[in-house]
Amino acid sequence: MLKELSITDWQNQFSSSIQKNIECEASEQSRFSIYKNNVFHSLTQALSAQFPVCTQLVGEDFFKGCSKAYLSNQLPDRADMILIGRTFSDFLKEFEHTKNMPYLAQVANLEYSRALSLHSEDLNCISHKDLASMDIAILQQQSLIFHPSVHLVQSEFSIFSIWKGHQPNQKMESSVINIPEATLIFRDEFRVACIELDQATFNCLSLWKAGQSLIEGIQNTIETFPEFNPTEVIEFTFSNPLITTVK
């Protein structure tokens, strides 16, 4: 007597059969193969749309091969495709055909951070007007709470330049890609902004985002970067939709 499967068990078995080569009767195998090919084609297209610069860097055919290897072991864990590829950068680090291109995984990380930023929660941010009404002595001791769309990406490679150079009507300004670059990503209304930062600014923003108070982040950054100008960074921070509150 066949055991009746729950809907969850049936879904898990069906998902597993898409990833693996399950034997069945010839007529069923043919129909299932068509369905399986359609699934992988759609997922590959979604993955390529999520990582357009990575696709350009390796070419469409190579990217399709990477996608097939990735998706064979990592089908999406949610029904929509807006955040497909959560572990794709980790996969590229270890995949035998891309692990000799370490910059590729880091470009993928930047592109996925942009996707996270685009689909993050919508919250109001503090403006210059709000900042002007605060007591400076109290503000210095408080922590800055960043908008959920804010991501800080550091790399030993020139991933910002690579990303920027593969945008429409842009080109790489240099063929040198082993220069460290830091990138700030945030959503400005309906647009995801991607800005290259100097190392001192990146360091200060990272310390603030990690929970250090305004004055702690500034003091610790000055210790590492004596030329750091905190006034410029505070002006930059509150000129953009980066901070939702202070506490």
Side-chain angles (χ1 to χ4, degrees), residues 163-175:
W163 174 83
K164 182 180 178 181
H166 288 80
Q167 300 309 298
N169 302 316
Q170 296 287 335
K171 63 180 182 179
M172 289 284 292
E173 296 179 359
S174 172
S175 59

Side-chain angles (χ1 to χ4, degrees), residues 2 4 37 44-45 48 53 60 62 67 108 114 139 147 150 156 158 187 201 203 206 213 222 234 246:
L2 294 175
E4 185 175 346
N37 289 338
T44 298
Q45 286 188 317
S48 181
V53 173
E60 289 189 9
F62 189 93
S67 300
R114 285 177 51 81
L139 178 62
H147 192 280
V150 175
E156 65 267 37
S158 309
R187 192 178 67 234
T201 300
N203 185 81
S206 296
S213 69
I222 289 175
I234 292 173
V246 297

Side-chain angles (χ1 to χ4, degrees), residues 124-179:
N124 292 327
C125 288
I126 292 176
S127 66
H128 270 111
K129 183 178 180 181
D130 299 322
L131 187 65
S133 65
M134 296 179 185
D135 186 306
I136 297 300
I138 295 176
L139 178 62
Q140 288 180 344
Q141 305 303 321
Q142 292 185 311
S143 298
L144 308 180
I145 307 303
F146 282 73
H147 192 280
S149 73
V150 175
H151 293 265
L152 293 161
V153 182
Q154 174 75 69
S155 173
E156 65 267 37
F157 296 101
S158 309
I159 60 170
F160 175 81
S161 296
I162 293 172
W163 174 83
K164 182 180 178 181
H166 288 80
Q167 300 309 298
N169 302 316
Q170 296 287 335
K171 63 180 182 179
M172 289 284 292
E173 296 179 359
S174 172
S175 59
V176 179
I177 64 169
N178 60 348
I179 298 175

